[in-house]
């Protein structure tokens, strides 16, 4: 009986993802043996496209572990977390999670955080376009209301928090800095934002990560600053506020609603 | 979002174009090469914003654009991905491409994207499925599409017609045009021990709206025989140029695209490939596609 297209494609897809399995039954044999090498062209095309997509998204992870280890890891990842969209730039969002629980990668404790940073950079690269507002816009707010404003962030804005100096490590292993290997006892949060075409990555320290995290959760300027100051006694609000605006991550300043809770 | 600056005409001329690569954005915009048109993989421009749209918008202001889908999975037995179809519609509305094409292949099974263009058996059931899907695409996009002949490494016992018979029938039933990939013809003919000339003699050239050229890599099969891989990783091979020349002599000048997707060379090397295609197109009258191919 002629297998229906649906059954045939189910068998074909299953064979594709089973590296040592037989070729599907209805594939013709041009010679005397089953055409494994021919079928493997498809298997290789699939695996290579998956691995290449991950290598394009995670160059710093690849630089940290070496190409051979990276490709073997990427292959294992793709088996467990295959692409679920024809948009390949959506593939690989679980890579950091996978690395955090992948014993062979445990020797590089910050690997998963570097992967989270690179995933954030890819999201920023494709995020919607929007116009940032300059810090001068805060001058339009009556002084007594400034503490109650909330910020809306540029769609490309991502905060990646880490107990490792992830921005220094990332810059080092992607050739963006000449620095010697960083002191991994220091920690850095990363602000990723793409105000125009280029994706920018900035290290946050001195409570700036805590401050931005509060603002991104929708806290008022005053509450976010208070939380940051609780964590870091020398937190410098005006320095970090102008630092945030300089990155272009603020898209709008929302004034407090008249009569709303202060 | 409409493009604010006026774009030049959408229609793809019967000249050579190349597949647009991010690596060449800046060179193209500064050199402003005398090239007929560009083609992009639709899926690379389905993000919300940023560099891809920035550069494509600037390039579209100066050149006609063709949109080439690689992820619609037209040959799958399962229904088309409606979200993906709507994303395509949005891109078509935004960039007003002169041509839209996709592959006679499948790439999605259930919700897994298989990252390759997989072959289908050529029989009545596949024909019906493919025609239904093309009807749906053409209805949603509100325009004609072109369907590309695949490069294949295996064949199916369940095929009951030839690839050319299959493609001819799809074009006849749906009114879609065909994208003739001459390198794919060469690759598949070598891999299945068939004549590329016989394939082209039988091909309904009057339905062809676009030609693709690309490079292939040699490998070997299970019997130790030559197996060609459609790798798009090098220059177009001499016998493929010869087949192309023969096709143009017989069909007339047609929009011709050079694809180079892996180990991407510098801009000038890729542009030289387009010039080589243009040298063959030069002097041939443009194939009249009005009526047969509604642009």
């Amino acid at each position: 009986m002629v297998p229906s297209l649906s059954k045939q494609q189910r068998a074909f897809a299953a064979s594709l993802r089973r590296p040592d399995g037989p070729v599907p039954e209805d594939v013709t044999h041009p010679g005397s043996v089953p055409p494994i090498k021919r079928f493997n062209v498809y298997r290789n095309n699939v695996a290579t496209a998956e691995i290449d997509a991950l290598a394009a998204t995670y160059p710093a992870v690849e630089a940290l572990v070496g190409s051979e280890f990276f490709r073997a890891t990427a292959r294992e990842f793709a088996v467990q977390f295959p692409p679920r969209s024809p948009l390949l730039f959506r593939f690989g969002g679980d890579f950091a999670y996978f690395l955090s629980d992948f014993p062979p990668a445990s020797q590089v404790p910050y690997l998963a955080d570097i992967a989270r940073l690179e995933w954030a950079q890819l999201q920023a690269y494709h995020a919607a376009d929007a116009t940032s507002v300059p810090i001068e816009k805060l001058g339009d707010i009556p002084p007594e209301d400034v503490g109650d404003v909330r910020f809306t962030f540029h769609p490309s804005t991502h905060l990646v928090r880490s107990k490792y100096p992830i921005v220094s490590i990332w810059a080092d292993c992607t050739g963006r800095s000449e620095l010697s290997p960083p002191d991994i006892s220091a920690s850095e949060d990363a602000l990723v934002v793409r105000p125009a075409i280029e994706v920018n990555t900035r290290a946050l320290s001195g409570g700036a990560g805590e401050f931005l995290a509060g603002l991104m959760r929708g806290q008022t300027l005053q509450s976010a600053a208070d939380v940051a100051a609780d964590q870091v006694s020398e937190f410098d609000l005006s320095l970090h506020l102008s630092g945030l605006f300089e990155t272009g991550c603020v898209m709008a300043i929302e004034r407090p609603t008249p009569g709303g809770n202060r | 979002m409409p493009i604010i600056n006026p774009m030049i005409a959408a229609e793809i001329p019967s000249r050579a174009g190349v597949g647009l690569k991010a690596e060449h954005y800046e060179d193209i915009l500064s050199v402003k090469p005398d090239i007929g048109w560009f083609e992009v993989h639709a899926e690379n421009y389905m993000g919300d914003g940023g560099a891809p749209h920035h550069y494509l918008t600037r390039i579209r202001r100066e050149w006609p654009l063709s949109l080439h889908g690689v992820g619609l999975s037209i040959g799958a037995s399962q229904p088309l991905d409606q979200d993906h179809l709507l994303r395509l519609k949005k891109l078509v509305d935004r960039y007003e491409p002169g041509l839209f094409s996709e592959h006679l292949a499948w790439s999605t099974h259930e919700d897994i994207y298989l990252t390759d263009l997989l072959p289908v058996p050529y029989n009545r059931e596949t024909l019906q499925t493919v025609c239904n899907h093309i009807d749906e695409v053409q209805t949603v996009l509100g325009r004609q599409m072109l369907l590309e002949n695949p490069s294949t490494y295996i064949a199916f016992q369940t095929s009951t017609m030839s690839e050319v018979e299959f493609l001819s029938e799809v074009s006849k039933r749906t009114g879609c045009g065909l994208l003739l990939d001459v390198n794919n013809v060469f690759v598949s003919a070598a891999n299945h021990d068939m004549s590329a000339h016989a394939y082209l003699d039988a091909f309904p050239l009057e339905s062809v709206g676009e030609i693709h050229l690309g490079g292939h890599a040699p490998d070997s099969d299970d019997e130790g025989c030559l197996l060609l891989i459609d790798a798009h990783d090098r220059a177009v091979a001499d016998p493929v140029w010869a087949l192309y020349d023969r096709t143009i002599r017989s069909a007339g000048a047609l929009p011709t695209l050079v694809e180079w997707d892996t180990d991407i060379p510098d801009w000038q090397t890729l542009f030289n490939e387009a010039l080589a295609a243009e040298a063959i197109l030069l002097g041939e009258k443009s194939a009249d596609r009005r009526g047969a191919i509604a642009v």
Side-chain angles (χ1 to χ4, degrees):
Chain A
M1 198 189 94
V2 176
S4 78
L5 190 60
S6 165
K7 272 166 72 180
Q8 191 239 10
Q9 291 184 340
R10 186 179 311 130
F12 195 102
S15 292
L16 262 188
R17 302 203 66 84
R18 208 180 299 127
D20 303 318
V23 299
E25 271 180 22
D26 58 337
V27 169
T28 57
H29 295 195
S32 51
V33 295
I36 287 280
K37 280 190 77 175
R38 287 170 172 263
F39 191 74
N40 280 348
V41 175
Y42 295 106
R43 284 179 172 139
N44 289 339
N45 283 350
V46 170
T48 304
E50 291 169 342
I51 295 166
D52 287 349
L54 292 170
T57 302
Y58 296 105
V61 172
E62 182 172 10
L64 283 167
V65 299
S67 186
E68 198 181 330
F69 183 88
F70 180 86
R71 295 188 78 81
T73 305
R75 186 161 198 148
E76 181 62 31
F77 168 77
V79 168
Q80 293 185 36
F81 298 87
R84 296 194 185 263
S85 163
L87 309 188
L88 261 188
F89 60 78
R90 290 193 179 165
F91 170 54
D94 296 312
F95 197 45
Y97 166 77
F98 174 83
L99 290 174
S100 69
D101 194 31
F102 186 57
S106 62
Q107 288 186 345
V108 188
Y110 42 80
L111 202 58
D113 284 3
I114 296 295
R116 285 200 294 134
L117 175 60
E118 294 197 294
W119 184 252
Q121 290 166 336
L122 180 68
Q123 304 319 299
Y125 180 83
H126 288 291
D129 300 324
T131 308
S132 310
V133 297
I135 195 164
E136 287 71 27
K137 281 277 170 198
L138 266 184
D140 299 347
I141 312 285
E144 67 273 20
D145 286 343
V146 167
D148 292 326
V149 299
R150 290 178 166 87
F151 296 150
T152 303
F153 288 90
H154 190 284
S156 66
T157 306
H158 290 264
L159 172 64
V160 182
R161 310 202 67 188
S162 176
K163 58 181 180 177
Y164 301 102
I166 49 171
V167 179
S168 303
I169 295 169
W170 168 77
D172 198 36
C173 66
T174 54
R176 284 174 176 80
S177 83
E178 303 286 320
L179 299 173
S180 50
D183 166 17
I184 70 157
S185 65
S187 69
E188 281 172 359
D189 295 326
L191 166 57
V192 176
V193 62
R194 197 210 75 230
I197 306 304
E198 292 276 315
V199 176
N200 298 322
T201 301
R202 177 180 287 215
L204 302 178
S205 56
E210 198 63 42
F211 178 51
L212 178 57
L215 292 172
M216 289 181 76
R217 279 197 302 269
Q219 288 179 352
T220 64
L221 180 53
Q222 188 62 58
S223 320
D226 289 346
V227 172
D230 278 349
Q231 303 265 324
V232 178
S233 55
E234 71 273 23
F235 178 71
D236 182 336
L237 175 59
S238 67
L239 176 76
H240 291 303
L241 191 59
S242 60
L244 275 192
F245 274 91
E246 272 167 27
T247 67
C249 72
V250 181
M251 192 175 74
I253 301 168
E254 293 161 44
R255 297 164 183 240
T257 349
N261 288 335
R262 297 284 301 256
Chain B
M1 185 172 59
I3 293 173
I4 315 252
N5 286 34
M7 294 182 289
I8 70 152
E11 192 177 342
I12 307 292
S14 292
R15 292 187 57 189
V18 299
L20 180 63
K21 294 289 144 190
E23 289 84 344
H24 299 142
Y25 287 153
E26 293 291 354
D27 279 341
I28 290 164
L29 288 167
S30 62
V31 173
K32 303 272 171 69
D34 178 21
I35 193 165
W37 52 288
F38 288 100
E39 182 163 283
V40 294
H41 286 178
E43 285 71 14
N44 291 343
Y45 295 86
M46 289 182 175
D48 292 329
H53 289 294
H54 168 83
Y55 285 106
L56 188 58
T57 300
R58 290 175 62 188
I59 283 166
R60 177 65 187 92
R61 279 177 197 147
E62 310 209 27
W63 286 278
L65 180 73
S66 163
L67 201 58
H68 188 52
V70 298
L72 199 50
S73 200
I74 281 177
S77 70
Q78 66 190 33
L80 294 179
D81 177 343
Q82 294 302 307
D83 291 342
H84 197 65
L85 203 45
L86 290 177
R87 288 193 287 261
L88 272 175
K89 168 76 175 150
K90 219 171 118 184
L91 266 188
V92 165
D93 289 347
R94 178 169 180 176
Y95 290 103
E96 300 175 18
L99 294 169
F100 169 69
S101 52
E102 252 285 359
H103 299 84
L104 176 56
W106 61 291
S107 53
T108 296
H109 181 68
E110 291 170 348
D111 69 337
I112 309 279
Y113 175 52
L114 295 161
T115 60
D116 196 18
L117 296 163
L118 302 169
V120 292
Y122 301 132
N123 56 37
R124 291 283 138 198
E125 186 190 358
T126 315
L127 183 65
Q128 190 59 54
T129 302
V130 167
C131 287
N132 290 347
H133 286 166
I134 289 176
D135 283 341
E136 193 181 347
V137 174
Q138 294 188 137
T139 302
V140 170
L141 298 186
R143 61 184 294 159
Q144 185 191 43
M145 63 164 281
L146 306 180
L147 186 67
E148 178 177 346
N149 60 298
S151 54
T152 55
Y153 310 104
I154 56 153
F156 295 106
Q157 293 166 25
T158 44
S159 285
T160 56
M161 58 182 97
S162 74
E163 187 172 291
V164 173
E165 286 168 340
F166 189 93
L167 285 164
S168 304
E169 193 60 27
V170 170
S171 173
K172 205 162 84 185
R173 288 194 191 182
T174 65
C176 79
L178 299 174
L179 192 171
L180 175 59
D181 188 317
V182 176
N183 181 59
N184 287 358
V185 171
F186 185 79
V187 165
S188 293
N191 290 349
H192 303 298
D193 201 16
M194 297 183 312
S195 157
H197 284 196
Y199 185 103
L200 288 170
D201 287 343
F203 204 86
L205 290 179
E206 67 284 357
S207 299
V208 175
E210 179 184 340
I211 290 187
H212 272 186
L213 296 170
H216 58 255
D219 200 344
S220 63
D221 76 358
D222 306 85
E223 314 288 317
C225 300
L226 180 69
L227 187 71
L228 297 182
I229 312 294
D230 180 28
H232 296 184
D233 63 345
R234 63 193 71 197
V236 177
D238 286 343
V240 174
W241 281 121
L243 274 185
Y244 171 62
D245 186 272
R246 184 180 185 273
T247 305
I248 293 300
R249 299 289 158 250
S250 141
L254 284 162
T256 300
L257 184 90
V258 177
E259 299 182 290
W260 199 324
D261 299 314
T262 303
D263 296 337
I264 295 166
D266 62 26
W267 165 252
Q268 190 58 47
T269 304
L270 180 58
F271 184 50
N272 288 345
E273 289 284 281
L275 293 178
E278 197 123 306
I280 290 170
L281 289 169
L282 207 72
E284 265 323 312
K285 246 183 83 180
S286 183
D288 186 2
R289 285 293 175 266
R290 271 161 299 185
I293 301 289
V295 173

